[in-house]
Amino acid sequence: MKIKMRNVLTALLTAGILAAAAMQTSAETDCGDNLTWVFDHSGTLTISGEGDMWDYSSADNGGSTAPWNEYRMNIQKVEFSDMVTHIGKRSFCEYS
């Protein structure tokens, strides 16, 4: 019984640690053929790589919004690498 309880507690502790780690890591995905974006816990959105960002459209028109749109209320700063050659249309639509 003690071994079973220890295994259950170990599993719960591991799940809690993994969940906490997932909350602290950044979100990242592609935003151009050779560009990626990262949003970190400090509120910085970083676009890195080289080339053009993809264009986006309004969700109101059934289009695809920028992938970081779900974080827009928490974005404090945006940084671009020197090799970004085009900021995609509507990438920051309705941001203030």
Side-chain angles (χ1 to χ4, degrees):
M1 184 65 163
K2 285 184 180 182
I3 293 174
K4 187 174 185 178
M5 181 61 89
R6 186 173 3 154
N7 289 344
V8 168
L9 290 175
T10 301
L12 289 173
L13 182 60
T14 302
I17 291 170
L18 291 174
M23 289 173 58
Q24 292 180 3
T25 59
S26 60
E28 177 179 354
T29 189
D30 295 334
C31 60
D33 290 340
N34 296 305
L35 296 176
T36 58
W37 66 274
V38 175
F39 178 69
D40 65 31
H41 64 278
S42 70
T44 301
L45 173 67
T46 304
I47 311 293
S48 57
E50 68 178 84
D52 294 350
M53 285 175 60
W54 294 322
D55 292 329
Y56 299 98
S57 58
S58 171
D60 294 338
N61 297 332
S64 174
T65 60
W68 50 83
N69 196 50
E70 68 182 280
Y71 303 103
R72 76 182 195 168
M73 300 305 287
N74 298 313
I75 295 173
Q76 300 296 314
K77 178 170 64 170
V78 179
E79 297 179 345
F80 296 92
S81 73
D82 292 338
M83 301 301 290
V84 175
T85 55
H86 168 76
I87 297 174
K89 293 178 184 175
R90 302 185 68 85
S91 295
F92 301 100
C93 182
E94 300 179 16
Y95 284 50
S96 55

